[in-house]
Amino acid sequence: EVVNEAEKIGKEIGISDLDLEILIIAAYFHDLGHIDQVENHEEISAQYAEKFLSNLNYPTERLNKVIKCILATKLDYRPQNLLEEIIKDADLHHVGSDKYFDKSNLLRTELENRCGKKYEDYDWIKNNIDFFIKHKFYTKYAKDNYEEIKQSNLLKLQKRLRKALNKADEEKIK
């Protein structure tokens, strides 16, 4: 999905074929480090890309751009250029998608299974709301195409949080 979104955004914006190549390669590699670990997987993803592309004698200048794009997918990273903005928007496009809640549930299950941590509904919803508040789309394309649904998803999360709070209050009373 990230590859498809990155390609869609890149083409819509009109980046060069060379930049589109860099972007698509980075999108394919950006989460590969999850094979090894959840935390800081981007660095491992970049190492996988560097090793693979170096073996293909991929030009160093382009390889460095691929690596920078992969590292730009870190949650707290602020993009420094258009390619980083595109991959950042593509990576997190699901927050502005009708599929957000399905993706969120899958992520929750994955994290619970991989990290052995159980998330209570209230905590999961609260963490998602905090993420939404901090998150921003960077490209005009993403703002125009994902922001409205993102805001709708945020409202739904806030309603779910109120329900979770009410449920917790009822359980305390019992």
Side-chain angles (χ1 to χ4, degrees):
E1 288 183 8
V2 174
V3 172
N4 291 338
E5 289 300 314
E7 183 174 16
K8 184 186 337 178
I9 297 169
K11 284 181 176 179
E12 187 68 30
I13 290 174
I15 63 174
S16 71
D17 289 344
L18 185 58
D19 281 346
L20 192 59
E21 173 187 296
I22 290 164
L23 186 64
I24 290 171
I25 292 170
Y28 272 114
F29 277 95
H30 85 285
D31 271 347
L32 194 57
H34 268 288
I35 292 169
D36 299 311
Q37 66 188 41
V38 174
E39 295 293 320
N40 297 316
H41 68 274
E42 297 87 357
E43 283 88 359
I44 296 170
S45 299
Q47 291 170 5
Y48 280 128
E50 182 173 22
K51 183 176 180 182
F52 180 82
L53 295 170
S54 293
N55 287 337
L56 295 176
N57 295 316
Y58 196 70
T60 304
E61 183 180 327
R62 287 190 237 169
L63 173 59
N64 290 335
K65 288 181 179 181
V66 169
I67 290 169
K68 286 180 181 179
C69 283
I70 293 169
L71 296 175
T73 63
K74 287 183 161 203
L75 285 179
D76 59 349
Y77 183 85
R78 294 187 59 103
Q80 304 299 307
N81 58 53
L82 182 59
L83 289 182
E84 291 178 4
E85 289 177 353
I86 294 169
I87 198 161
K88 189 86 166 174
D89 285 349
D91 188 30
L92 296 174
H93 78 280
H94 66 280
V95 302
S97 161
D98 292 332
K99 297 178 183 177
Y100 171 73
F101 290 96
D102 292 336
K103 297 285 183 191
S104 177
N105 290 334
L106 288 171
L107 177 60
R108 181 178 180 177
T109 300
E110 177 184 349
L111 291 175
E112 287 178 344
N113 289 332
R114 288 197 68 198
C115 301
K117 181 178 179 183
K118 175 87 170 108
Y119 291 94
E120 297 299 325
D121 287 344
Y122 172 83
D123 294 325
W124 183 256
I125 297 166
K126 179 76 170 84
N127 287 341
N128 277 263
I129 290 171
D130 292 345
F131 173 77
F132 266 67
I133 291 169
K134 292 176 189 171
H135 172 266
K136 72 178 258 182
F137 288 115
Y138 293 93
T139 62
K140 181 178 181 335
Y141 178 89
K143 290 174 186 173
D144 291 348
N145 290 278
Y146 308 138
E147 189 65 39
E148 187 176 328
I149 296 173
K150 175 190 167 189
Q151 293 306 317
S152 174
N153 288 338
L154 176 57
L155 289 173
K156 290 174 187 174
L157 281 168
Q158 290 168 332
K159 287 178 185 178
R160 289 180 181 196
L161 183 64
R162 281 192 289 280
K163 285 182 182 179
L165 283 172
N166 289 339
K167 182 179 176 184
D169 288 343
E170 289 173 13
E171 288 175 8
K172 283 181 185 178
I173 292 171
K174 289 180 184 178

